[in-house]
Amino acid sequence: MQCSPWTPPTNDGKAPYSTLFLMLLMLLMLCGLSTQAYCQITIHNQFTSQPAGLHAQLFLDREHSIQLYDAMTLPDELWITPQTETTSFGFSPDRLWLKLPIANNSDHTQRLGLEIAYPVLDLINAYVTQDGFVQAQYSMGDTFYFEQRPVDFRNFIVPFQLPPGETITLYLSIDTEGTLQAPITLWDMDHFFEKQQPALVAHGLYFGIMLVMILYNLFIYISIRHITYLYYTVAALACATINASMQGLGFQFVWASWPELNAVSIPASIAVFGISSKLFSITLLNMPTTAPTLYKLKLGIIVGYSLTLISLFFMPYHSTIRIVMLVGVCSILLGTYTGLYLFLKGHRIARFYLLAWSCLFGALFLTALSKAGVIPSSHFIEHSLQYGSALEVILLSFAMADRINQERTAKRKAEQLAIISEKRASDEASRYLELKYQKELDELKTRQEIIQAQAESKAKSEFLATMSHEIRTPMNGVLGMTELLRETHLDPNQRHYLNVVSSSGKALLNIINDILDYSKITAGKMEIEQIDFDLDQLCLECASVFSLTAERKHLELVSSLEPGTPALIKSDPSRLRQIIINLLGNAFKFTNTGHVSLRVMQQDPLCEGQLTLRFEVRDTGVGIAPEKQQMLFSAFNQLGNSVSREYGGTGLGLSISKRLAHLMGGQIGVESRQGEGSCFWFTIQCQPADAQFSRQHIVPLTSLGALKLLIVDDSPEFTHVLQEQTAAWGAHPEVAHYGEQALEKLKAATAAGAPFNVITMDMNMSGMNGLECARQIHAAGDIANCYCILLTAMNSTPSQPELEAAGIDIAMKKPASAHALRQAILNLLQGRTEPQATNGQLLSTAFNGKTVLVAEDNSVNQLVIVGMLKKLGLKCEVADNGEQALTLFTQRANHFDLVFMDCEMPVMDGYSTCRKIREHEAKLNLPPTPVIALTAHAMPEHKTRALEAGMDAHIPKPVELLTVQETLIEFLISDDPASRSA
């Protein structure tokens, strides 16, 4: 638009006065410029966003007579300098002017936007000025149609561009009948919507919770016709409407074409919430009987809210909102007092009711103080109503469930008493009716069993597919985000915790899949994979899952491979992990003192070229009687009802473990004595890992032949394993079972001229602990210097200053694998080297210039797969459904090198989309682009369906970074098409 300068009005015939006026005006402008230079926001090259409240100046126009020119020439002393980021003037009828200078010190033109993060303002006039010229002008507010906003967003955005080296000044005039405030933030618009994602996820989580609670309780109301659930549903819906109105989301997504609703949505929804919540509390707590006086007060509150609804038609907004806030505060105080009163009287339901209203009281109290201008606004205060209301609806739902359970219990007791009385009155008639009923019941059960067997046979496949899809979809987000977090900068504690989370997540997924696996095995659909992996690392991961349990129960946890046992093998790590975790879980479940150990050893092979490995999980638990050992590996079977009640579980894990061991060419069994513990063992048939995998993972045993090692630990099991492992490396280990013995051996070795090179000591030893022992070693003058490694539990690691003061070189978490301990000793003896580039870093260079299209409707899964692709150095674009993916693919020929396609999407699913892509390629004679199914469907029939639709491969969720990397290597780097397999 063409710029026009602002010029002052003329004053003919009064030149001297005009000259004097202009001189004074210039002096005022110079003063203003100095203030502006002091207050202005300076933009640099790396600018993304900055709160602007403290950089702005404010002016209250009480007469509504100031125009833009008047504001531009207003003396500086009339402007207000804010003391907080957001200054609230309460329910003020004044017009608020805001002045904000911005300078661009970067080397390029900046696309900027000023966000006014208060979406219920009536009218905002925004002016972008430079050197007295208006560069751009916008009018917006909740009285305009939403589509008239310059930026499609729930808050108000003033967009503009600022060339390098230039300065502009923003002027805002704000009129509103509500609270007068303007929380402002300056954004780089290229990063604005990206930075809004966490807030959108939080809003989505909140409204998701509210929607679930509304639908759930509405369904219960429809089912049982209990009026309490209807009142609850209306209250929850009104509460969600309040938040949607105050956050601007309702205007953006629901009533964008009806701005007049903004004038009534907040007070109306508050009044509806107040009425329905009071009716809910009256019926839930049976207040006419339990608290008649409070019942009458609640009726008065309902009348007040009803009058507020009526006042919307003839009273101004600011008066109505003040009335509804006053009634609301009284309502919440009464609700909180009601909960406290009934709680003190011993009503069980009142505890949930009191907590719920306390949460809402705190949230509304903060909101009311902010809107009235008593306290400054902040992000927490602006969203406190969401936090409080979400907690309230959840706690009130608990209260209803408790109430219904009480009613059912009372009803059941009454029914039991009635049945007993009836039996005493007519014993003979009851016997006859019982026999007749039992006969009919048996016939009915027989018919039901026949029908159920037929229905189960028909629905089995659909059930398996649905369960697998619904479980794997959220687990993909959990494990995917964990894997992305693993690649960030973490300290050793954080990395250990993350490894435990990742291992536990994988174990959880395997445990959840137990029931699916059992069905697959029964149907003969279970497939065993052959993958190269590190057996020592897998055993450590399985043991780490139970490290916290071991600490809590004060058990020694030991994991080891017998010397000579190959660590790099080819088998199915997922199924092997599943068996080990099942056996370790049983061991910890039935063991309260002593230790639990995992031991792997090699046996004579059954055939040439194969390896036979035996796994043993030993414990010092309660043991198992001989007559009960045979029933352990039967499905849904435990040692008895008492065991199930005491220790939990379904008994399905051992049955699946037995079948998996058989599928892997082995056996499973148990050796146990009551009161002495148990040893669960199983064997598998496997092969040595491929030569390339072995070369990448083998660690040379250099520098250990002359190593003299002292092992200090009060656990005989752990010292035996560690002495065995280190002796296999060629080292010369000795053992001390307590700190004093260690000091004696160190002094004796130094005096003999053959000091120890390395000491490993346990942190938690009886008597002198590891840290105290290390301090004495470090301070002793008659002990030669040596490297010290502290083995400690997860929650008892000393701080780094304590470790350094005690002379400890490395602190390692228990259980520690032999591989990790060996590498730590090598690092101490040879010095740490700079880490080499990983395979992922090398491959990311090979992936440069490649672009992947991701078709996925789940936002969490989008974050996971996009994060993995960016980690590997690929460009990617995202489509929310199949139709968008097809449009992007057809409009940009040869732009995408590969497509990751979710199979279940709205509008158009992945199967149909892939068929249309193949039709498009055939029509234009284009080479086929690899299309990979990335789906939570993991059943074999879904893989077949994906291949029939024209896809090249099938990756089930949850997906791992390594799987994505291997797939990309196969389809983007490999030059041999014949090597590709689906």
Side-chain angles (χ1 to χ4, degrees):
M1 62 182 293
Q2 184 176 358
C3 302
S4 58
W6 288 83
T7 57
T10 60
N11 187 15
D12 296 338
K14 298 181 180 180
Y17 297 100
S18 300
T19 302
L20 180 59
F21 172 78
L22 289 174
M23 292 177 64
L24 292 174
L25 180 60
M26 291 177 63
L27 180 60
L28 290 174
M29 289 179 66
L30 288 174
C31 296
L33 286 173
S34 64
T35 304
Q36 177 176 339
Y38 173 78
C39 297
Q40 73 180 7
I41 295 180
T42 303
I43 307 299
H44 301 285
N45 285 329
Q46 303 301 323
F47 176 80
T48 56
S49 67
Q50 180 177 347
L54 294 176
H55 295 268
Q57 292 182 299
L58 310 176
F59 176 74
L60 288 176
D61 180 10
R62 304 186 185 280
E63 304 297 331
H64 289 227
S65 60
I66 300 299
Q67 301 302 319
L68 175 61
Y69 171 73
D70 303 317
M72 294 173 66
T73 58
L74 199 64
D76 285 345
E77 58 269 17
L78 297 181
W79 289 94
I80 302 172
T81 300
Q83 302 301 315
T84 61
E85 281 293 343
T86 302
T87 302
S88 177
F89 296 94
F91 293 98
S92 173
D94 303 335
R95 173 180 294 166
L96 174 63
W97 279 91
L98 183 146
K99 178 173 68 173
L100 178 65
I102 304 170
N104 184 4
N105 284 359
S106 67
D107 56 8
H108 61 279
T109 299
Q110 296 278 356
R111 291 181 61 251
L112 303 174
L114 185 68
E115 178 190 15
I116 302 102
Y118 189 52
V120 294
L121 298 173
D122 295 345
L123 174 62
I124 300 174
N125 287 314
Y127 308 93
V128 182
T129 68
Q130 185 177 30
D131 299 329
F133 291 85
V134 177
Q135 302 294 333
Q137 177 178 347
Y138 305 99
S139 294
M140 61 191 85
D142 66 0
T143 57
F144 293 81
Y145 290 103
F146 190 84
E147 63 185 13
Q148 294 177 330
R149 296 189 180 185
V151 177
D152 185 6
F153 190 63
R154 62 186 182 89
N155 291 329
F156 303 109
I157 307 293
V158 180
F160 60 93
Q161 293 189 0
L162 186 57
E166 296 190 9
T167 301
I168 61 95
T169 302
L170 289 179
Y171 288 89
L172 301 180
S173 70
I174 300 174
D175 296 274
T176 185
E177 290 191 22
T179 56
L180 187 62
Q181 57 177 292
I184 56 175
T185 303
L186 186 63
W187 289 91
D188 179 356
M189 294 304 292
D190 292 333
H191 298 83
F192 175 73
F193 287 100
E194 178 183 351
K195 296 294 185 181
Q196 297 301 315
Q197 292 303 317
L200 292 176
V201 170
H203 286 308
L205 179 61
Y206 168 76
F207 288 105
I209 292 173
M210 299 299 289
L211 180 61
V212 167
M213 301 306 295
I214 291 170
L215 295 178
Y216 171 72
N217 287 279
L218 180 61
F219 173 77
I220 295 179
Y221 169 72
I222 295 173
S223 301
I224 66 175
R225 297 293 178 179
H226 199 296
I227 193 64
T228 306
Y229 286 93
L230 180 60
Y231 292 148
Y232 175 90
T233 301
V234 175
L237 180 60
C239 189
T241 306
I242 295 171
N243 284 283
S245 301
M246 297 187 67
Q247 298 299 325
L249 294 169
F251 190 31
Q252 182 178 4
F253 296 108
V254 182
W255 58 82
S257 300
W258 296 283
E260 55 273 8
L261 291 181
N262 290 320
V264 298
S265 61
I266 295 178
S269 54
I270 292 176
V272 172
F273 171 75
I275 294 172
S276 56
S277 64
K278 291 307 167 194
L279 293 173
F280 165 79
S281 61
I282 288 172
T283 57
L284 175 70
L285 302 173
N286 193 19
M287 294 190 63
T289 302
T290 58
T293 304
L294 294 178
Y295 166 65
K296 295 177 182 179
L297 291 176
K298 287 187 179 291
L299 291 180
I301 294 294
I302 292 174
V303 172
Y305 277 124
S306 302
L307 293 176
T308 302
L309 281 175
I310 298 174
S311 70
L312 291 174
F313 297 98
F314 58 87
M315 291 183 66
Y317 175 84
H318 61 85
S319 299
T320 304
I321 196 66
R322 287 178 176 175
I323 294 174
V324 80
M325 288 176 63
L326 177 61
V327 177
V329 171
C330 296
S331 173
I332 295 174
L333 289 173
L334 179 60
T336 306
Y337 176 76
T338 301
L340 180 61
Y341 172 75
L342 294 178
F343 175 74
L344 294 177
K345 287 188 66 176
H347 289 268
R348 177 178 170 180
I349 307 174
R351 55 181 179 174
F352 294 112
Y353 185 83
L354 176 61
L355 285 174
W357 281 101
S358 298
C359 293
L360 187 62
F361 172 75
L364 282 180
F365 185 70
L366 291 176
T367 302
L369 292 179
S370 173
K371 301 308 177 187
V374 178
I375 61 175
S377 179
S378 67
H379 176 81
F380 174 77
I381 291 176
E382 288 296 323
H383 295 83
S384 60
L385 194 59
Q386 287 180 296
Y387 306 144
S389 61
L391 287 174
E392 187 206 24
V393 297
I394 294 173
L395 291 171
L396 290 181
S397 182
F398 289 164
M400 285 193 295
D402 198 15
R403 164 72 181 274
I404 297 302
N405 287 335
Q406 289 184 10
E407 292 179 353
R408 288 178 178 175
T409 301
K411 182 179 180 182
R412 191 180 299 114
K413 289 181 179 179
E415 291 174 349
Q416 291 175 350
L417 291 175
I419 292 174
I420 293 173
S421 299
E422 184 179 354
K423 285 183 178 181
R424 291 176 179 175
S426 55
D427 189 32
E428 292 299 328
S430 296
R431 290 178 183 175
Y432 171 76
L433 292 175
E434 184 179 355
L435 291 174
K436 182 179 179 181
Y437 171 76
Q438 188 64 41
K439 179 181 178 182
E440 295 176 352
L441 182 61
D442 291 340
E443 293 177 354
L444 179 61
K445 287 183 177 179
T446 302
R447 291 194 298 268
Q448 287 178 340
E449 289 173 356
I450 295 173
I451 296 172
Q452 184 177 359
Q454 294 173 346
E456 287 178 353
S457 177
K458 180 179 178 181
K460 188 172 184 179
S461 298
E462 182 179 354
F463 169 77
L464 289 176
T466 302
M467 287 297 295
S468 178
H469 183 274
E470 295 302 321
I471 293 172
R472 291 173 182 273
T473 295
M475 287 303 296
N476 184 56
V478 174
L479 296 179
M481 287 301 181
T482 303
E483 192 160 359
L484 292 176
L485 183 60
R486 192 193 305 276
E487 301 301 324
T488 62
H489 295 290
L490 302 171
D491 62 40
N493 277 340
Q494 292 172 332
R495 187 165 298 279
H496 181 74
Y497 296 156
L498 183 63
N499 289 337
V500 174
V501 171
S502 178
S503 300
S504 300
K506 294 176 182 177
L508 175 61
L509 181 63
N510 289 331
I511 292 172
I512 293 174
N513 284 338
D514 275 353
I515 189 65
L516 302 177
D517 291 342
Y518 183 80
S519 300
K520 289 180 184 179
I521 295 172
T522 305
K525 295 182 179 181
M526 177 63 70
E527 297 178 358
I528 298 298
E529 296 179 305
Q530 295 297 322
I531 300 173
D532 295 327
F533 65 98
D534 188 340
L535 180 59
D536 190 22
Q537 182 64 27
L538 183 139
C539 291
L540 178 63
E541 290 176 0
C542 294
S544 296
V545 172
F546 299 93
S547 58
L548 289 175
T549 305
E551 289 183 45
R552 186 177 67 252
K553 301 182 77 171
H554 303 290
L555 299 176
E556 185 72 21
L557 175 58
V558 181
S559 172
S560 66
L561 272 65
E562 186 178 83
T565 303
L568 305 179
I569 64 172
K570 181 188 293 290
S571 185
D572 191 331
S574 297
R575 301 306 170 192
L576 187 56
R577 181 186 291 109
Q578 190 171 353
I579 300 175
I580 295 174
I581 287 180
N582 272 332
L583 298 185
L584 284 173
N586 279 343
F588 277 96
K589 185 187 300 183
F590 297 99
T591 304
N592 294 316
T593 59
H595 70 274
V596 175
S597 66
L598 169 63
R599 180 76 162 174
V600 186
M601 61 203 71
Q602 184 177 6
Q603 294 184 334
D604 294 334
L606 298 179
C607 58
E608 187 175 357
Q610 292 278 342
L611 297 173
T612 300
L613 299 181
R614 177 183 172 99
F615 296 76
E616 293 183 354
V617 175
R618 294 184 179 272
D619 64 67
T620 55
V622 296
I624 306 167
E627 64 272 14
K628 296 183 178 181
Q629 293 180 13
Q630 297 300 322
M631 60 186 292
L632 282 175
F633 300 97
S634 300
F636 303 102
N637 220 333
Q638 288 194 332
L639 301 182
N641 292 333
S642 61
V643 173
S644 178
R645 287 193 298 269
E646 182 177 357
Y647 296 101
T650 64
L652 188 60
L654 290 178
S655 174
I656 292 176
S657 298
K658 177 180 179 180
R659 293 173 182 248
L660 290 177
H662 289 171
L663 287 173
M664 299 173 76
Q667 300 292 329
I668 193 168
V670 62
E671 302 167 2
S672 179
R673 290 184 180 180
Q674 270 190 300
E676 297 181 10
S678 305
C679 173
F680 283 83
W681 61 267
F682 69 96
T683 61
I684 65 168
Q685 300 296 317
C686 59
Q687 296 177 345
D690 291 340
Q692 180 180 359
F693 182 86
S694 298
R695 285 193 299 270
Q696 293 174 350
H697 293 79
I698 196 70
V699 177
L701 297 179
T702 57
S703 305
L704 296 182
L707 176 69
K708 193 173 181 184
L709 174 71
L710 179 61
I711 302 167
V712 186
D713 199 304
D714 58 357
S715 169
E717 294 80 17
F718 181 78
T719 55
H720 171 73
V721 169
L722 196 55
Q723 188 174 20
E724 179 185 70
Q725 294 286 350
T726 54
W729 304 340
H732 305 284
E734 292 186 24
V735 173
H737 292 291
Y738 50 90
E740 291 79 3
Q741 185 182 13
L743 291 171
E744 294 174 3
K745 288 196 172 189
L746 288 168
K747 292 177 181 178
T750 301
F756 288 94
N757 307 108
V758 178
I759 307 171
T760 69
M761 62 180 64
D762 184 37
M763 175 64 185
N764 298 317
M765 294 187 295
S766 57
M768 182 188 300
N769 63 32
L771 194 62
E772 294 171 349
C773 184
R775 291 194 188 102
Q776 294 196 24
I777 293 172
H778 187 61
D782 54 350
I783 297 177
N785 290 333
C786 58
Y787 296 107
C788 186
I789 299 176
L790 182 68
L791 300 176
T792 177
M794 179 178 296
N795 292 328
S796 58
T797 303
S799 63
Q800 188 62 33
E802 289 180 300
L803 295 174
E804 293 176 357
I808 295 173
D809 299 279
I810 295 178
M812 299 182 65
K813 306 292 184 182
K814 296 177 68 175
S817 70
H819 173 82
L821 182 60
R822 180 177 58 193
Q823 190 60 50
I825 294 175
L826 286 173
N827 287 341
L828 288 175
L829 296 178
Q830 301 173 357
R832 297 185 180 273
T833 59
E834 292 296 326
Q836 298 179 350
T838 63
N839 290 336
Q841 292 170 331
L842 296 175
L843 286 172
S844 63
T845 304
F847 290 144
N848 282 342
K850 304 292 185 180
T851 303
V852 176
L853 174 60
V854 179
E856 171 65 61
D857 63 308
N858 186 284
S859 59
V860 176
N861 289 338
Q862 287 177 0
L863 292 174
V864 170
I865 187 62
V866 169
M868 289 181 176
L869 293 175
K870 289 184 177 179
K871 182 68 181 176
L872 294 173
L874 289 101
K875 300 177 182 178
C876 57
E877 296 188 25
V878 178
D880 293 329
N881 55 61
E883 187 176 87
Q884 290 183 12
L886 180 63
T887 301
L888 287 173
F889 188 89
T890 54
Q891 290 180 352
R892 305 170 73 176
N894 298 325
H895 178 71
F896 299 105
D897 301 285
L898 184 140
V899 180
F900 277 124
M901 183 74 68
D902 186 24
C903 294
E904 298 291 338
M905 293 184 291
V907 184
M908 183 186 295
D909 61 31
Y911 303 112
S912 302
T913 305
C914 185
R915 291 190 186 97
K916 291 186 178 295
I917 287 176
R918 296 307 184 210
E919 291 173 2
H920 174 76
E921 290 173 340
K923 181 179 179 181
L924 299 182
N925 197 24
L926 298 173
T929 300
V931 179
I932 313 299
L934 191 65
T935 173
H937 285 306
M939 300 299 288
E941 54 266 31
H942 293 103
K943 179 178 180 180
T944 302
R945 184 181 176 189
L947 298 178
E948 290 175 351
M951 300 186 192
D952 300 274
H954 176 275
I955 301 178
K957 298 175 183 175
V959 64
E960 296 181 348
L961 179 62
L962 180 60
T963 305
V964 174
Q965 177 178 295
E966 291 174 348
T967 303
L968 293 171
I969 292 173
E970 179 181 356
F971 288 95
L972 295 182
I973 298 179
S974 175
D975 295 327
D976 183 9
S979 66
R980 299 178 180 177
S981 62

